[in-house]
């Protein structure tokens, strides 16, 4: 009877613990990170050879979880946040490019075309001239506003990147602090729940992997260890690296020994010397706006050996000192020297940081930006106008030389996340979406794609609106670069200048100088459908050509298409994440209906055990009350 009483007493205690656990589950149903608890019941071990049971033991509550499902949920959650962030970023850009029938860059461009056409019908009308001046200025402002708005979105993302990295670091520190408590007090359910929730929050920012092998906790972000040995926390930091633009005007001939470099100013591709001689003019033009020229046969006083300790000397320009003459004129030009610097070939750097070149002879022309980063990139090209040796007014031929792409270096602005000065190759998450759209060298940088296209548009608009050669009735060679490669009289309107958005200008004062023939030319631009937008001449063979209007329309379509593609991926990924989350929640989250059934069951067990104790108590009282 006493053993039965013990069984009932243990059952009563176990039922009480179970009821309290159910109440705790229901109370924490909506607590972030909480995983339902289940009480572990076990039969008490036998103390002797008796076959009757000794009762039940409630050893405590344990969490319901699945490490496999949890890891999968974190992985898919990271991908989902990556597409969420991309969608948000592209949505902002799409709103920038939004246009209506009467507003937007396309409408402004059409009004500019109409202003040109109106002035063409009456070149002396002051009203039409004023209208063209206004519409030309509006086109430039509209272009620059678009560009600036995209830039501002990019800068906003950069600021938010720093905030997100700080948030991620705070989570890492919290996990480290929790691990210290776990080491001190043991693995309690509440501490483990909190740590799981922090890990899941961290997966919003980057791909997270957690290892608990051999009793040691290790967390990695992008494959780099962020927490090791339970409490050793390594924080993230944002690194920005900017590089200089370096243009080399050299070529490499693949038919000869590899890496043999020759000067494109003086040699043809087959290594035969170019005949640049008396009266020929070599011009370097910066940003389609500023230029310096060297005339073969002119006398130039300069520091030819780049030695300030010796006096300047005067030399006659020929092929032996042409490069050094260009270097001197570029570095002396007031409009160029603050943004670029020219060198006679490669240089070495001495212990004081001075750049040393070999100026005893001409080398290739090297031009660098003075300041690093994409914002300081420039556009340059060299033109050679060959003139008759005896009559300098006779032009024999023209040629344009662009930088050697294989040996030149573009300006770059790179942004990445590092731990202990080592780059973290983040594969997904919010941070991935941001850094790949902040680094100019990233192939996934949508901001840079749109900014480059706007720059290309501005460059082509300025080029074809500046110079041209008329070859027949309503027949023209368009653009300065094209004109520099063709014979004929080069005509200049000077209406637009610049080689990118930031340098683009509408020279309104030159509207008064537009003659009928220039207006006839400008009027044809809106109908020209074979313009190239690669920054080079308009008479080269390219398959991807369009009009100015078509180029803008394609740009807007690309923005909308990018947004639509990301939204499709976002929806697909959201469904995958939701499916895994639903399965995981069914396993780990509190189900109120299930808990109510458990409550009824354990309350009934409690009542039954209590009744058994009451009955045994009555039996004992009866036995004790018996008289002999």
């Amino acid at each position: 009877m006493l053993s039965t009483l013990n069984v009932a007493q243990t059952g009563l205690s176990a039922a009480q613990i179970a009821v309290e656990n159910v109440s705790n589950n229901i109370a924490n149903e909506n607590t972030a990170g909480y995983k339902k608890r289940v009480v572990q019941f076990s039969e008490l071990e036998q103390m002797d050879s008796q076959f009757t049971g000794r009762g039940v033991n409630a050893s405590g509550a344990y969490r319901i979880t699945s490490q496999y499902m949890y890891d999968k949920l974190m992985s898919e959650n990271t991908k989902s946040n990556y597409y969420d962030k991309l969608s948000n970023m592209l949505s902002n850009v799409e709103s920038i490019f939004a246009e209506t029938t009467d507003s937007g860059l396309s409408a402004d461009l059409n009004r500019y075309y109409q202003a040109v056409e109106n002035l063409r019908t009456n070149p002396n009308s002051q009203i039409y001239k004023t209208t063209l001046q206004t519409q030309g200025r509006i086109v430039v402002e509209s272009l620059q506003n678009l560009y600036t708005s995209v830039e501002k979105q990019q800068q906003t993302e950069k600021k938010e990147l720093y905030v997100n990295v700080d948030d991620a670091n705070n989570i890492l520190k919290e996990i480290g602090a929790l691990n210290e408590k776990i080491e001190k007090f043991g693995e309690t359910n509440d501490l483990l729940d909190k740590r799981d929730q922090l890990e899941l929050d961290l997966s919003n920012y980057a791909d997270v992997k957690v290892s608990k092998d051999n009793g040691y906790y290790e967390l990695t972000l992008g494959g780099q260890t962020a927490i090791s040995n339970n409490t050793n926390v390594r924080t993230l930091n944002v690194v920005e690296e900017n590089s200089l633009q370096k243009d080399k005007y050299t070529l490499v001939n693949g038919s000869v020994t590899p890496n043999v470099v020759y000067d494109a100013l003086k040699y043809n591709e087959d290594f035969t010397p170019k005949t640049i001689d008396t009266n020929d003019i070599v011009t370097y033009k910066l940003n389609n706006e500023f230029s310096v020229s060297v005339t073969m046969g002119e006398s130039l006083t300069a520091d030819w050996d780049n030695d300030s300790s010796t006096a300047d000397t005067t030399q006659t320009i020929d092929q032996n000192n042409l490069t050094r003459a260009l270097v001197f004129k570029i570095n002396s030009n007031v409009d160029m020297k603050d943004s670029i610097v020219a060198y006679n070939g490669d240089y070495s750097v001495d212990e004081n940081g001075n750049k040393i070149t070999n100026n005893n002879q001409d080398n290739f022309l090297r031009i660098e930006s003075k300041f690093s980063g994409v914002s300081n990139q420039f556009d340059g090209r060299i033109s050679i106008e060959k003139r008759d040796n005896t009559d300098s007014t006779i032009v024999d031929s023209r040629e344009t030389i662009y930088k050697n792409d294989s040996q030149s270096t573009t300006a770059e602005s790179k942004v990445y996340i590092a731990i202990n000065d080592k780059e973290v190759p983040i594969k997904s998450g919010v941070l991935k979406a941001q850094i790949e759209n902040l680094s100019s060298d990233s192939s996934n940088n949508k901001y840079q794609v749109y900014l480059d296209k706007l720059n290309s548009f501005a460059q082509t608009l300025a080029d074809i609106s500046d110079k041209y050669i008329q070859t027949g009735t309503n027949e023209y060679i368009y653009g300065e670069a094209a004109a520099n490669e063709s014979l004929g009289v080069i005509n200049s309107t000077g209406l637009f200048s610049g080689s990118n958005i930031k340098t683009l200008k509408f020279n309104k004062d030159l509207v008064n100088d537009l003659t009928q023939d220039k207006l006839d030319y400008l009027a044809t631009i809106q109908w020209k459908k074979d313009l190239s937008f690669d920054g080079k001449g308009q008479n080269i063979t390219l398959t991807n050509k369009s009009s100015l209007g078509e180029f803008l329309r394609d740009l807007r379509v690309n923005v909308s298409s990018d947004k639509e593609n990301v939204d499709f991926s976002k929806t697909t990924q959201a469904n995958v994440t939701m499916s895994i989350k639903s399965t995981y929640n069914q396993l780990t989250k509190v189900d109120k209906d299930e808990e109510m059934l458990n409550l009824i069951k354990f309350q009934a067990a409690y009542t039954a055990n209590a009744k058994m104790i009451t009955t045994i108590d009555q039996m004992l009282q009866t036995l004790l009350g018996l008289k002999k």
Side-chain angles (χ1 to χ4, degrees):
M1 184 180 296
L2 291 176
S3 63
T4 303
L5 179 63
N6 183 67
V7 169
Q9 188 273 331
T10 59
L12 186 68
S13 177
Q16 181 181 3
I17 293 173
V19 169
E20 291 174 351
N21 182 70
V22 169
S23 300
N24 185 58
N25 280 340
I26 294 174
N28 288 282
E29 177 185 6
N30 297 317
T31 301
Y34 182 83
K35 295 176 175 61
K36 68 181 178 182
R37 277 44 161 172
V38 175
V39 176
Q40 178 72 42
F41 295 107
S42 60
E43 184 180 356
L44 290 173
E45 294 181 358
Q46 298 295 327
M47 300 292 292
D48 48 35
S49 60
Q50 294 180 3
F51 291 102
T52 57
R54 295 184 58 245
V56 64
N57 176 50
S59 58
Y62 65 91
R63 303 187 313 151
I64 297 296
T65 187
S66 167
Q67 191 62 44
Y68 170 78
M69 291 294 296
Y70 176 65
D71 291 342
K72 193 66 176 174
L73 175 60
M74 282 202 300
S75 175
E76 298 303 326
N77 181 63
T78 306
K79 296 176 185 176
S80 186
N81 276 275
Y82 169 79
Y83 289 115
D84 280 344
K85 187 59 184 175
L86 273 184
S87 178
N88 176 263
M89 294 163 67
L90 290 176
S91 178
N92 292 332
V93 174
E94 189 177 37
S95 65
I96 292 173
F97 282 91
E99 294 187 351
T100 65
T101 304
D102 299 322
S103 65
L105 180 57
S106 297
D108 293 335
L109 189 62
N110 288 334
R111 285 190 282 268
Y112 165 76
Y113 287 151
Q114 187 60 53
V116 171
E117 194 63 42
N118 290 339
L119 185 58
R120 178 173 171 250
T121 62
N122 187 357
N124 297 318
S125 171
Q126 190 58 48
I127 294 177
Y128 288 159
K129 288 181 179 180
T130 302
T131 302
L132 179 57
Q133 289 173 333
T134 301
Q135 295 305 323
R137 175 181 55 80
I138 289 175
V139 167
V140 173
E141 289 178 352
S142 185
L143 264 170
Q144 291 176 338
N145 286 339
L146 272 179
Y147 192 90
T148 301
S149 296
V150 176
E151 273 192 323
K152 286 181 178 179
Q153 285 297 323
Q154 195 173 33
Q155 291 303 312
T156 298
E157 288 302 328
K158 182 180 287 188
K159 292 178 181 178
E160 187 178 323
L161 173 64
Y162 280 89
V163 174
N164 287 335
V165 168
D166 286 341
D167 291 343
N169 285 333
N170 289 334
I171 293 175
L172 289 171
K173 292 173 183 177
E174 285 189 66
I175 294 175
L178 280 175
N179 286 342
E180 288 182 0
K181 293 180 180 179
I182 290 174
E183 284 185 343
K184 185 175 181 180
F185 302 109
E187 290 188 342
T188 65
N189 288 332
D190 290 342
L191 291 177
L192 293 176
D193 282 347
K194 179 64 175 176
R195 189 172 69 181
D196 286 354
Q197 184 60 41
L198 289 172
E199 291 169 354
L200 189 59
D201 291 343
L202 188 61
S203 71
N204 294 335
Y205 300 99
D207 44 303
V208 176
K209 294 291 183 182
V210 175
S211 173
K212 303 170 187 175
D213 296 338
N214 301 320
Y216 287 99
Y217 179 93
E218 182 178 82
L219 183 147
T220 62
L221 288 173
Q224 292 294 319
T225 301
I227 299 178
S228 62
N229 294 331
N230 299 328
T231 59
N232 186 8
V233 178
R234 301 179 179 92
T235 55
L236 309 173
N237 63 288
V238 181
V239 179
E240 296 185 50
E241 291 182 352
N242 295 317
S243 60
L244 296 171
Q245 177 177 341
K246 302 175 183 179
D247 290 355
K248 286 188 177 183
Y249 289 89
T250 59
L251 298 170
V252 175
N253 190 338
S255 63
V256 297
T257 304
N259 298 323
V260 173
V261 177
Y262 68 94
D263 194 335
L265 292 174
K266 303 175 182 178
Y267 297 93
N268 298 305
E269 291 191 37
D270 59 359
F271 279 82
T272 58
K274 286 181 178 177
T275 55
I276 303 178
D277 48 21
T278 305
N279 294 331
D280 294 349
I281 301 174
V282 180
T283 301
Y284 175 79
K285 189 157 192 177
L286 175 67
N287 293 333
N288 200 31
E289 184 175 14
F290 307 116
S291 63
V292 295
S293 296
V294 173
T295 301
M296 303 300 289
E298 72 169 295
S299 296
L300 179 64
T301 302
D303 181 9
W304 295 97
D305 57 4
N306 197 30
D307 186 356
S308 57
S309 63
T310 59
D312 294 350
T313 58
T314 301
Q315 295 186 15
T316 300
I317 306 302
D318 57 23
Q319 288 207 136
N320 295 319
N321 56 16
L322 172 59
T323 301
R324 283 174 289 171
L326 278 172
V327 168
F328 174 78
K329 288 203 171 185
I330 290 172
N331 292 337
S332 302
N333 185 274
V334 293
D335 296 315
M336 297 184 183
K337 65 180 182 180
D338 290 335
S339 58
I340 62 172
V341 57
Y343 297 95
N344 176 33
D346 282 327
Y347 54 76
S348 59
V349 181
D350 65 17
E351 58 184 10
N352 297 319
N354 299 315
K355 296 176 179 178
I356 310 299
T357 55
N358 177 16
N359 291 305
N360 294 321
Q361 63 181 31
D362 261 16
N363 303 298
F364 57 83
L365 180 63
R366 175 185 180 128
I367 300 176
E368 294 184 2
S369 54
K370 279 200 168 182
F371 305 99
S372 59
V374 173
S375 60
N376 295 296
Q377 61 188 356
F378 61 91
D379 175 72
R381 61 172 176 260
I382 291 175
S383 62
I384 302 176
E385 188 172 75
K386 293 190 62 57
R387 300 199 173 209
D388 186 84
N389 291 347
T390 56
D391 188 349
S392 62
T393 63
I394 300 175
V395 179
D396 294 328
S397 64
R398 297 189 180 100
E399 178 184 1
T400 298
I401 297 176
Y402 298 94
K403 65 181 180 182
N404 187 308
D405 290 330
S406 64
Q407 296 185 36
S408 298
T409 303
T410 59
E412 291 183 354
S413 296
K414 184 178 180 180
V415 178
Y416 62 89
I417 305 298
I419 295 179
N420 290 346
D421 298 327
K422 186 175 183 180
E423 183 175 355
V424 179
I426 297 174
K427 299 179 179 64
S428 195
V430 171
L431 298 183
K432 172 66 173 178
Q434 291 181 311
I435 60 177
E436 73 179 8
N437 282 280
L438 293 175
S439 297
S440 61
D441 62 339
S442 170
S443 59
N444 295 322
N445 189 337
K446 298 299 182 183
Y447 287 129
Q448 196 62 48
V449 169
Y450 308 144
L451 292 174
D452 288 344
K453 285 184 177 294
L454 288 173
N455 271 329
S456 295
F457 180 89
Q459 188 176 48
T460 296
L461 174 64
D463 184 44
I464 63 177
S465 299
D466 184 20
K467 289 184 173 61
Y468 67 94
I469 294 176
Q470 186 168 3
T471 58
T473 304
N474 293 326
E475 293 181 359
Y476 303 92
I477 295 174
Y478 290 76
E480 181 177 11
N484 285 341
E485 296 181 2
S486 306
L487 285 177
V489 178
I490 299 178
N491 301 284
S492 176
T493 69
L495 209 54
F496 288 93
S497 62
S499 64
N500 53 46
I501 291 286
K502 294 183 177 180
T503 59
L504 182 65
K505 296 178 183 177
F506 180 77
N507 304 305
K508 65 177 184 178
D509 294 339
L510 295 180
V511 170
N512 295 320
D513 298 332
L514 293 177
T515 57
Q516 185 68 58
D517 57 327
K518 293 179 180 179
L519 289 167
D520 289 342
Y521 166 73
L522 292 172
T524 65
I525 291 176
Q526 62 179 307
W527 311 113
K528 188 168 177 59
K529 296 182 178 296
D530 59 347
L531 296 175
S532 62
F533 294 83
D534 65 343
K536 298 183 179 180
Q538 294 298 322
N539 60 347
I540 59 177
T541 302
L542 286 178
T543 57
N544 186 21
K545 293 188 176 184
S546 62
S547 66
L548 290 171
E550 288 173 342
F551 186 84
L552 287 179
R553 184 174 63 251
D554 289 344
L555 175 55
R556 295 199 310 274
V557 169
N558 287 341
V559 173
S560 297
S561 177
D562 289 341
K563 175 68 164 58
E564 185 178 350
N565 291 336
V566 168
D567 283 348
F568 176 79
S569 298
K570 172 186 172 182
T571 302
T572 303
Q573 183 59 43
N575 291 334
V576 173
T577 305
M578 184 60 66
S579 175
I580 294 175
K581 186 176 182 180
S582 177
T583 303
Y584 182 70
N585 286 343
Q586 286 179 2
L587 175 66
T588 64
K589 292 297 183 182
V590 175
D591 184 337
K592 187 173 290 186
D593 293 337
E594 180 184 357
E595 296 301 325
M596 291 305 296
L597 290 174
N598 287 335
L599 184 61
I600 294 172
K601 179 176 66 175
F602 293 127
Q603 283 179 333
Y606 183 89
T607 301
N609 282 287
K611 185 173 291 187
M612 182 175 289
I613 291 174
T614 301
T615 300
I616 293 174
D617 179 62
Q618 291 174 349
M619 291 173 64
L620 288 172
Q621 292 298 328
T622 301
L623 288 173
L624 292 174
L626 292 177
K627 296 181 179 179
K628 293 183 179 179

